[in-house]
Amino acid sequence: MAQTTPNHTQTVSGWAAFDSAGKIVPHTFKRRENGVNDVTIEILYCGICHTDLHHARDDWGITMYPVVPGHEITGVITKVGSDVKGFKEGDRVGVGCLAATCLECDLCKSDEENYCDKLALTYNGIFWDGSITYGGYSKMLVADYRYVVHIPDSLPLDATAPLLCAGITVFSPMKDHGLVTSPRKNVGIVGLGGLGHVAVKFAKAFGHHVTVISTSPSKESEAKDRLGADDFIVSTNPEQMQAATRTLDFILDTVSGVHSLAPLLELLKVKGTLFIVGAPEKPFELPSFPLIFGKRSVKGGIIGGIKETQEMLDFCGKHNILSDIEITTPDKINEALDRLVKNDVRYRFVIDIGGKSEN
């Protein structure tokens, strides 16, 4: 494993963390030459994901410094390899969490490459050539075209960027459980943050009855009046939770803070599913009685494959679904990360890498 190979000849300006203090500073590094299967992308915007914060500060003990975060990338193609199919110079494109997979296993062949054992992430991963991957906190990216998606012309590149992680993370489990095309269901969304607010938009666009479940009573107006949720439950209110017992077909849990699953399971109908996309620091306690007395399921998942990500973006283009964002600039990344720790953003930060903010 090496940070670069002899093929890494392109000098790139970016922003990186160099130790567990997590401070992001300007950094000049090398990217590979554009290969036959590659596209070179001028990065215009990059969303800030909570995962970026964890990697910058080595919260999970896996960071390879220096780390250039960023896996919610949108921009324009400036160069196309000779074997690239479906992309051309000038195309508006996005890159999410995936940089490479084996392309040969059953998962890769069934468009679930996001679960491939040899998955390489867009940053802090190991690419096919053995080099460490660097993400979207930079001016330019070279990406294998098989992990690149088209951005519909109707969608602005800035507010689309978080969809490449947050959007597909909530779209994929809903599709997996038939909610994209099923008759009206009762869907619960736990948490109204960077993931939850997009999940509400999708669930409503799919035609379902949506209930937001939150610890914050102050978010009820936001959930109902602005995002269109039908109901709101304060999870710390025993009366409200009891009244909603066995009313939901499906619950999407987007919360990364430590919390109990037992009360949520009681909200599910018989055969209902609780799907987890948040990642608390401590393991969940999974009680048996709500499962066995309700024939309920608990599942989890990460993002989605490239085909599914493109489907998600196309759906967003038709229904004008975007992430609610606050634009920041490269010189204020650390300020944004500090605010992210405090949940002081509604709902996602996006870095204006190219200095061409559309908001």
Side-chain angles (χ1 to χ4, degrees), residues 131-142:
S131 64
I132 297 173
T133 56
Y134 296 113
Y137 291 17
S138 58
K139 296 283 190 179
M140 179 269 279
L141 177 72
V142 178

Side-chain angles (χ1 to χ4, degrees), residues 68-289:
V68 178
H71 58 208
E72 299 175 349
I73 302 163
T74 58
V76 176
I77 291 180
T78 59
K79 190 172 183 178
V80 178
S82 59
D83 291 347
V84 169
K85 299 177 179 65
F87 294 94
K88 64 182 184 305
E89 290 184 17
D91 281 355
R92 305 163 77 248
V93 294
V95 174
C97 302
L98 304 181
T101 60
C102 79
L103 298 174
E104 298 175 350
C105 68
D106 290 341
L107 291 166
C108 285
K109 291 180 179 179
S110 61
D111 298 313
E112 291 186 302
E113 64 271 23
N114 49 308
Y115 295 107
C116 175
D117 285 341
K118 297 181 179 179
L119 169 70
L121 297 174
T122 299
Y123 70 86
N124 201 59
I126 306 300
F127 195 61
W128 288 318
D129 61 8
S131 64
I132 297 173
T133 56
Y134 296 113
Y137 291 17
S138 58
K139 296 283 190 179
M140 179 269 279
L141 177 72
V142 178
D144 187 293
Y145 81 97
R146 289 165 289 196
Y147 306 94
V148 179
V149 290
H150 288 280
I151 306 296
D153 290 339
S154 61
L155 299 180
L157 291 177
D158 50 8
T160 298
L163 297 178
L164 295 162
C165 176
I168 187 58
T169 294
V170 299
F171 179 90
S172 183
M174 290 187 188
K175 182 190 174 188
D176 194 48
H177 288 78
L179 296 177
V180 176
T181 57
S182 71
R184 187 175 175 87
K185 300 283 188 180
N186 291 326
V187 175
I189 307 297
V190 185
L192 196 65
L195 295 175
H197 87 284
V198 179
V200 172
K201 293 182 181 185
F202 276 129
K204 288 301 297 181
F206 298 152
H208 301 302
H209 184 282
V210 178
T211 300
V212 171
I213 305 158
S214 174
T215 59
S216 304
S218 60
K219 292 186 176 181
E220 181 170 4
S221 177
E222 174 84 356
K224 289 183 174 180
D225 300 337
R226 204 174 72 81
L227 296 176
D230 301 284
D231 286 312
F232 188 90
I233 298 173
V234 179
S235 58
T236 54
N237 185 312
E239 291 79 14
Q240 291 186 19
M241 292 291 284
Q242 179 63 35
T245 298
R246 291 198 174 193
T247 61
L248 303 178
D249 297 288
F250 178 86
I251 297 175
L252 186 67
D253 187 346
T254 71
V255 175
S256 290
V258 177
H259 59 289
S260 175
L261 298 184
L264 298 177
L265 289 169
E266 297 290 0
L267 300 180
L268 288 169
K269 296 178 182 179
V270 173
K271 299 183 183 180
T273 297
L274 171 62
F275 199 101
I276 296 167
V277 293
E281 296 177 1
K282 297 181 180 179
F284 286 112
E285 290 187 4
L286 187 60
S288 60
F289 283 178

Side-chain angles (χ1 to χ4, degrees), residues 297-314:
S297 301
V298 178
K299 300 175 67 174
I302 57 166
I303 54 170
I306 297 301
K307 181 179 179 181
E308 193 169 61
T309 302
Q310 187 65 66
E311 178 185 345
M312 179 268 301
L313 287 172
D314 292 342

Side-chain angles (χ1 to χ4, degrees), residues 5-27:
T5 73
N7 190 41
H8 285 66
T9 60
Q10 300 195 81
T11 301
V12 182
S13 296
W15 297 267
F18 281 80
D19 56 46
S20 60
K23 183 178 181 181
I24 304 293
V25 297
H27 177 48

